[in-house]
Amino acid sequence: MIKVVVDDRKRVLDAAEVKAIVDEAHRVNVRIAAHATSDQAIQVAIQGGVDSVEHGDEATDATFQAMARYGVFLVATHWTAQTLRDIYLPSYRGTPQEAEAAAVRGYLEKSRASLQRALKSGVRIVAGSDMWMRYPGKTRGERT
Ligand SMILES: [Zn+2]
């Protein structure tokens, strides 16, 4: 399996680029996982023929429906409340505790809603980890 970064904060590959990668990989029975967070990038990944989308954070219902139609798996990489507290919230040091709790609740509500929309659309969801951030006291394989 090869993971292709379809979008990052600077650019989004186009469907022709993704398709060229996918075609070459599939020719030798290698699967392509697409790092795609924006709806645009997820659509590009689907058009390019990827086997899975990692993250899929901003997928619309129509995009989830396209993933289901083309058999593209979703590797949802939503964070747990504990991960948010361990990694994300330390950046909020100095803010009132209630603001932190509200941030966690907001994230979790958005995550649950996204997963429910994916399931309702018929997207096949698989487990995976894409935790690239440093996590105090944990190896990459122990991070969630
Ligand atoms: Zn990723």
Side-chain angles (χ1 to χ4, degrees), residues 53-74:
V53 166
E54 326 294 299
H55 314 295
D57 301 338
E58 298 174 9
T60 63
D61 290 347
T63 300
F64 279 141
Q65 290 161 8
M67 287 176 65
R69 189 168 46 255
Y70 292 103
V72 178
F73 292 94
L74 173 64

Side-chain angles (χ1 to χ4, degrees), residues 3-5 7 34-37 54-55 77 129-132:
K3 180 177 176 181
V4 175
V5 177
D7 69 341
H35 167 105
T37 59
E54 326 294 299
H55 314 295
T77 56
S129 175
D130 191 11
M131 176 54 84
W132 53 270

Side-chain angles (χ1 to χ4, degrees), residues 9-10 17 20 38 43-44 47 53 67 78 85-86 88 92 95 99 103 106 111 114 123 125 134-135 140 142:
R9 292 188 176 125
K10 296 176 186 162
E17 292 171 312
S38 69
Q43 289 180 27
V44 164
Q47 291 165 10
V53 166
M67 287 176 65
H78 299 268
R85 288 186 194 101
D86 290 347
Y88 181 67
Y92 276 80
T95 58
S111 290
S114 177
V123 174
I125 300 174
R134 289 185 184 180
Y135 199 129
R140 187 177 174 104
E142 294 170 331

Side-chain angles (χ1 to χ4, degrees), residues 64 68 74 112-126:
F64 279 141
L74 173 64
R112 279 191 202 104
S114 177
L115 287 172
Q116 288 170 348
R117 289 188 301 103
L119 287 169
K120 186 176 177 186
S121 297
V123 174
R124 294 180 293 174
I125 300 174
V126 296

Side-chain angles (χ1 to χ4, degrees), residues 15-119:
E17 292 171 312
V18 175
K19 186 175 183 331
I21 294 166
V22 167
D23 287 349
E24 285 301 306
H26 284 177
R27 193 172 54 79
V28 292
N29 295 318
V30 172
R31 301 286 173 228
I32 295 293
H35 167 105
T37 59
S38 69
D39 191 64
Q40 177 193 6
I42 300 163
Q43 289 180 27
V44 164
I46 296 166
Q47 291 165 10
V50 303
D51 300 290
S52 67
V53 166
E54 326 294 299
H55 314 295
D57 301 338
E58 298 174 9
T60 63
D61 290 347
T63 300
F64 279 141
Q65 290 161 8
M67 287 176 65
R69 189 168 46 255
Y70 292 103
V72 178
F73 292 94
L74 173 64
V75 179
T77 56
H78 299 268
W79 292 11
T80 65
Q82 187 62 51
T83 302
L84 283 167
R85 288 186 194 101
D86 290 347
I87 294 179
Y88 181 67
L89 292 178
S91 69
Y92 276 80
R93 285 190 180 125
T95 58
Q97 211 165 13
E98 180 52 39
E100 294 181 359
V104 170
R105 278 194 308 274
Y107 175 85
L108 294 176
E109 286 169 12
K110 186 178 174 189
S111 290
R112 279 191 202 104
S114 177
L115 287 172
Q116 288 170 348
R117 289 188 301 103
L119 287 169

